[in-house]
Amino acid sequence: MTSASRKILATSALPYANGPIHLGHLVEYIQTDIWTRFQRLRGHEAYYICAEDTHGTPIMLKARDEGLTPESLIEKIGGEHRRDFADFNIAFDNYYTTHSEENRYFSEFIFEQLKTKGHVDARTITQAYDPVEEMFLPDRFIRGTCPRCGAEDQNGDNCEVCGATYAPTDLTDAVSVISGATPVSRDSEHYFVRLSDFEPMLRDWTGSGRLQSEVVNKLNEWFDIGLQDWDISRDAPYFGFEIPDAPGKYFYVWLDAPIGYMASFRNFCTPRGIDFDTFWAPDAPAELYHFVGKDILYFHALFWPAMLHGAGFRTPTAVFTHGFLTINGQKMSKSRGTFIRARTYLDHLDPDYLRYYFAAKLNNRVEDIDFNVEDFVVRVNADLVGKVVNIASRCAGFIEKRFQGQLSGTLPDPALTMRFYEQHSTICQYFENREFSRAIREIMRLADLANQYINDRKPWIIAKDDSRADELQAVCTQSLNLFRMLITWLAPVVPKLAERSGEFLRHPITTGNALDRLTEPLLNHQIGPFARLLDRIELEDANAMMKDTQFMNENEGNNSVGKHLQDDPISPEITIDEFAKVDLRVVRVNAAETVEGADRLLKLTLDLDGEIREVFAGIKSEYDPQTLVGRHVVMVANLAPRKMRFGISNGMILAASGADDAGGIFLLSPDGAAESGMRVR
């Protein structure tokens, strides 16, 4: 029975356009994607909208350091983000940018509405100013000694050592992160939204079941302290939208960033004839949901609903808040080698593995989840491969070889089928409530029942008796129908596995209202030839991903803004005996080619004095493979082979990142007299 159709708009927080997508980001995008895919598979009109968050001082300064315009930088980073999301099968209906005319329009409209209704004040404030760069400094661009504990090199608003909060003027020995100069105080006129004007509305909105209990408790603390006026303007130089009739003043990025949800949806609606007001008008019948991390709760649960209400738009149906991701029990950190980029993961492992692992841990509470490498390998192999895919692989061959791919006309165990059907509403309710881990546990319990059925009926024994052909066909038909139910429930979680399974079953699983068609078994149905649906994860592949992560984190320059903070620290000392273990050889590049599915890698075929080696090198961004053929480079010849997603890398070529303003990656090359196989001393 098909459920009543709903209109749903879901968003994830907008990724900031100044760095790569990492696994911590993906918790949110995968969670939102699973939920919206589930809604679509129930036949609902559900849209998933996102955009690049492109404005602010960090974008402006990063662009300057890279010798780019801000527009070029956000286009470059945005392209990388889009590729990462696409390769993780994040099914956005529209992925846009906050640097758009639609966003400018809505930002100016909301500001004018708030101003006209008396919710905006202009007043003079005193701020830290960089006399060298001639710009006002956000708190995060000031560092100094903590006034409470004396810890050096602390942020301008809080101490990471003792947890104290303070004003930047309280710091001792404060310096600008940008220039290293000592900040001075300077006055400037800014615009403020009186958030306290909306306190009655916000108390009602936050207490009406739209938020998790942990979130409500945190918001009540802020209500008790008193809602503070919100500074929504910034001074030039600044990359963003200039405030109308206020030369040199710009909208603060946190004003126009959430408005990007509206702008992206408007951009989606206009060419398709979708009624925007059905989703955003004050009395809009559609549902609006925001998925966000707990670190940006204040903006989404207080500022954002106040802005919408004050400007005459609807407020969100709910804001769903999640916790952070830890890696092997530790915070994500470059210094610890646990800052795993999305692209590094994709260079080694199938995205459905991570989607499943996150789903198996996610619930509807504000809790951190942990990515533990060994647990990840065991969980995915045991559940997806050992339980679910195993059902199809144990039975499909009999149907294909003995019955020309034709399923039987009846199910021999309707009671077992009914036990599965009876859990359908429970599993769907778990998905609806974002209790993905509970849904996964129930699906895997049913997978155990299906495997037990196969173990009990033993089709491999039945197949030895030609007189039991009908029984064999029926048992395998029963099993494949159970597999079809399991993989349909899992389709929002592992879309590519579900897509391959649908092709094998010759039955759509990832489109339409597939979840509401489970009561219709596949009988007298022609299936396709079975092919391996999913490989096991090898622990060495997961460990190789972690090694690549550590290598990149250790060898990447400090990304802090300001040249005086960009010097790479010298690695810990090694002895001459330790260095002597590295066998460096001159080799000739016989062939070089790009690697399909890898953004950073080139595959090099190297001639080591007659021995041919294949090596994967992360130099694609700097070198055209054709220019490398015939060139001599230096390689580490005695490095242990490493299995990667794309093959075995048997060695490493040497390259260095540029110093100071040189940037880039530079291959180490011998002089013209060198020959292949020559040892470098």
Side-chain angles (χ1 to χ4, degrees):
M1 181 176 178
T2 303
S3 55
S5 181
R6 298 151 57 190
K7 291 181 181 291
I8 298 170
L9 175 59
T11 75
S12 295
L14 313 185
Y16 202 44
N18 72 336
I21 300 298
H22 56 68
L23 262 57
H25 292 129
L26 287 168
V27 171
E28 182 172 309
Y29 300 105
I30 288 174
Q31 182 187 37
T32 316
D33 188 66
I34 290 172
W35 193 78
T36 49
R37 282 179 181 271
F38 163 77
Q39 301 296 349
R40 295 183 193 118
L41 289 176
R42 298 219 74 184
H44 300 314
E45 182 184 349
Y47 301 112
Y48 182 13
I49 298 298
C50 200
E52 287 286 300
D53 183 4
T54 60
H55 290 156
T57 302
I59 298 290
M60 177 185 72
L61 294 174
K62 183 178 178 66
R64 186 184 69 178
D65 283 357
E66 294 193 8
L68 301 171
T69 64
E71 291 83 359
S72 297
L73 174 68
I74 62 179
E75 182 178 356
K76 169 189 160 188
I77 299 294
E80 294 171 358
H81 287 179
R82 284 177 168 86
R83 286 193 295 275
D84 288 345
F85 287 137
D87 288 349
F88 267 100
N89 306 312
I90 307 298
F92 296 119
D93 288 283
N94 199 46
Y95 189 86
Y96 201 38
T97 172
T98 59
H99 195 60
S100 69
E101 287 308 307
E102 293 94 337
N103 206 31
R104 183 191 298 274
Y105 166 78
F106 281 116
S107 298
E108 292 178 356
F109 178 83
I110 289 174
F111 173 74
E112 291 299 333
Q113 289 295 304
L114 295 173
K115 187 177 178 183
T116 299
K117 295 175 182 178
H119 300 304
V120 176
D121 288 333
R123 63 174 182 263
T124 299
I125 62 172
T126 301
Q127 290 180 283
Y129 185 83
D130 186 324
V132 174
E133 293 291 332
E134 298 183 337
M135 63 180 291
F136 287 97
L137 294 169
D139 292 350
R140 62 180 292 190
F141 287 96
I142 305 170
R143 296 184 73 84
T145 301
C146 173
R148 189 169 90 175
C149 72
E152 298 179 349
D153 196 30
Q154 295 304 305
N155 294 322
D157 55 358
N158 72 89
C159 177
E160 295 179 345
V161 176
C162 70
T165 58
Y166 40 73
T169 51
D170 296 332
L171 285 171
T172 304
D173 302 322
V175 296
S176 164
V177 169
I178 305 170
S179 68
T182 300
V184 298
S185 296
R186 184 167 293 188
D187 292 342
S188 178
E189 185 178 69
H190 277 229
Y191 292 99
F192 289 80
V193 171
R194 294 203 305 269
L195 195 60
S196 57
D197 290 357
F198 301 95
E199 182 169 343
M201 167 260 162
L202 287 172
R203 283 187 178 272
D204 178 67
W205 184 82
T206 58
S208 59
R210 302 170 188 270
L211 306 168
Q212 295 120 300
S213 59
E214 309 102 302
V215 172
V216 173
N217 293 336
K218 184 62 180 178
L219 292 177
N220 285 336
E221 294 178 15
W222 288 328
F223 281 126
D224 292 342
I225 295 171
L227 299 180
Q228 304 299 307
D229 292 350
W230 180 33
D231 187 348
I232 60 168
S233 60
R234 293 295 184 268
D235 292 281
Y238 193 81
F239 181 60
F241 295 139
E242 195 167 23
I243 299 174
D245 303 318
K249 304 291 180 182
Y250 290 78
F251 288 126
Y252 176 40
V253 61
W254 264 110
L255 180 128
D256 70 61
I259 294 173
Y261 303 140
M262 303 175 74
S264 182
F265 192 59
R266 169 75 85 184
N267 176 261
F268 175 72
C269 289
T270 300
R272 294 168 178 82
I274 297 172
D275 185 6
F276 178 87
D277 290 338
T278 298
F279 293 82
W280 289 99
D283 57 351
E287 304 164 45
L288 172 62
Y289 300 98
H290 300 304
F291 288 74
V292 301
K294 61 184 179 181
D295 56 327
I296 54 175
L297 181 59
Y298 203 98
F299 296 101
H300 283 84
L302 293 177
F303 294 155
W304 179 231
M307 286 167 53
L308 290 169
H309 178 77
F313 293 103
R314 60 90 48 82
T315 53
T317 307
V319 174
F320 299 141
T321 307
H322 61 83
F324 296 145
L325 178 72
T326 57
I327 307 293
N328 292 332
Q330 297 182 324
K331 292 177 64 175
M332 290 189 65
S333 165
K334 289 184 179 179
S335 62
R336 293 192 183 106
T338 55
F339 187 85
I340 307 175
R341 290 166 172 78
R343 186 52 51 183
T344 305
Y345 175 96
L346 290 166
D347 283 345
H348 294 273
L349 298 165
D350 188 306
D352 271 354
Y353 297 153
L354 188 72
R355 292 177 63 103
Y356 177 80
Y357 188 69
F358 280 175
K361 287 175 168 283
L362 280 166
N363 55 42
N364 59 7
R365 297 182 296 279
V366 190
E367 295 179 349
D368 295 349
I369 65 172
D370 185 55
F371 177 85
N372 179 279
V373 175
E374 292 186 2
D375 178 60
F376 164 70
V377 172
V378 171
R379 175 75 67 93
V380 172
N381 287 343
D383 289 1
L384 283 185
V385 182
K387 293 183 180 181
V388 178
V389 171
N390 190 48
I391 298 168
S393 64
R394 297 172 83 183
C395 298
F398 295 118
I399 294 294
E400 181 181 348
K401 296 173 184 176
R402 297 291 189 91
F403 307 102
Q404 294 74 51
Q406 184 76 15
L407 298 180
S408 67
T410 59
L411 296 177
D413 195 340
L416 179 58
T417 303
M418 185 55 62
R419 288 181 68 181
F420 274 59
Y421 288 153
E422 287 171 351
Q423 298 309 309
H424 178 62
S425 61
T426 298
I427 292 170
C428 286
Q429 194 60 48
Y430 286 151
F431 275 112
E432 176 68 40
N433 295 339
R434 307 176 326 285
E435 296 181 282
F436 298 161
S437 59
R438 297 184 71 178
I440 293 298
R441 283 197 297 272
E442 184 59 28
I443 293 167
M444 289 305 133
R445 185 185 70 81
L446 294 174
D448 286 337
L449 289 179
N451 278 292
Q452 187 60 52
Y453 171 79
I454 297 172
N455 289 341
D456 292 343
R457 299 306 299 269
K458 297 180 174 57
W460 56 92
I461 299 296
I462 301 173
K464 295 179 180 179
D465 187 344
D466 291 341
S467 67
R468 301 174 68 185
D470 289 347
E471 182 184 358
L472 175 64
Q473 186 182 26
V475 167
C476 292
T477 297
Q478 173 85 46
S479 302
L480 289 175
N481 269 280
L482 298 180
F483 167 77
R484 172 239 179 173
M485 295 180 72
L486 295 169
I487 205 67
T488 302
W489 284 321
L490 287 170
V493 179
V494 285
K496 286 300 181 184
L497 172 59
E499 187 177 296
R500 292 191 293 272
S501 300
E503 292 171 355
F504 148 62
L505 292 173
R506 292 184 178 170
H507 177 79
I509 289 176
T510 59
T511 58
N513 58 339
L515 281 168
D516 287 327
R517 297 198 309 270
L518 284 182
T519 55
E520 307 164 7
L522 302 180
L523 300 174
N524 293 316
H525 176 82
Q526 187 77 29
I527 66 172
F530 180 80
R532 184 185 295 273
L533 295 175
L534 191 69
D535 291 322
R536 293 173 56 84
I537 308 177
E538 298 299 333
L539 180 59
E540 62 188 46
D541 291 343
N543 286 336
M545 182 264 295
M546 294 302 297
K547 288 179 181 177
D548 263 11
T549 294
Q550 185 173 9
F551 177 81
M552 291 182 66
N553 292 336
E554 289 176 350
N555 289 277
E556 185 178 72
N558 191 309
N559 284 331
S560 299
V561 177
K563 185 184 294 185
H564 75 291
L565 292 181
Q566 288 183 341
D567 297 329
D568 288 340
I570 301 298
S571 298
E573 287 184 353
I574 62 174
T575 67
I576 188 63
D577 291 335
E578 290 174 309
F579 180 71
K581 296 178 182 178
V582 181
D583 188 354
L584 301 178
R585 298 294 182 100
V586 175
V587 294
R588 183 182 185 278
V589 180
N590 284 354
E593 58 187 281
T594 58
V595 180
E596 185 177 356
D599 282 356
R600 297 187 301 108
L601 299 178
L602 293 181
K603 178 181 176 182
L604 306 181
T605 302
L606 306 176
D607 181 357
L608 174 58
D609 196 22
E611 178 186 350
I612 302 301
R613 298 273 192 99
E614 288 187 348
V615 169
F616 292 94
I619 59 173
K620 181 179 176 182
S621 62
E622 301 295 335
Y623 288 94
D624 179 344
Q626 297 307 312
T627 65
L628 298 175
V629 177
R631 180 170 173 173
H632 283 81
V633 296
V634 178
M635 76 172 294
V636 180
N638 62 333
L639 188 68
R642 183 177 60 178
K643 184 178 180 182
M644 304 178 70
R645 180 183 174 192
F646 307 101
I648 303 294
S649 186
N650 198 359
M652 175 188 290
I653 63 169
L654 299 189
S657 57
D660 298 327
D661 294 329
I665 299 171
F666 300 91
L667 286 175
L668 273 64
S669 298
D671 62 36
E675 297 179 357
S676 294
M678 181 179 292
R679 186 185 297 271
V680 179
R681 298 184 183 276

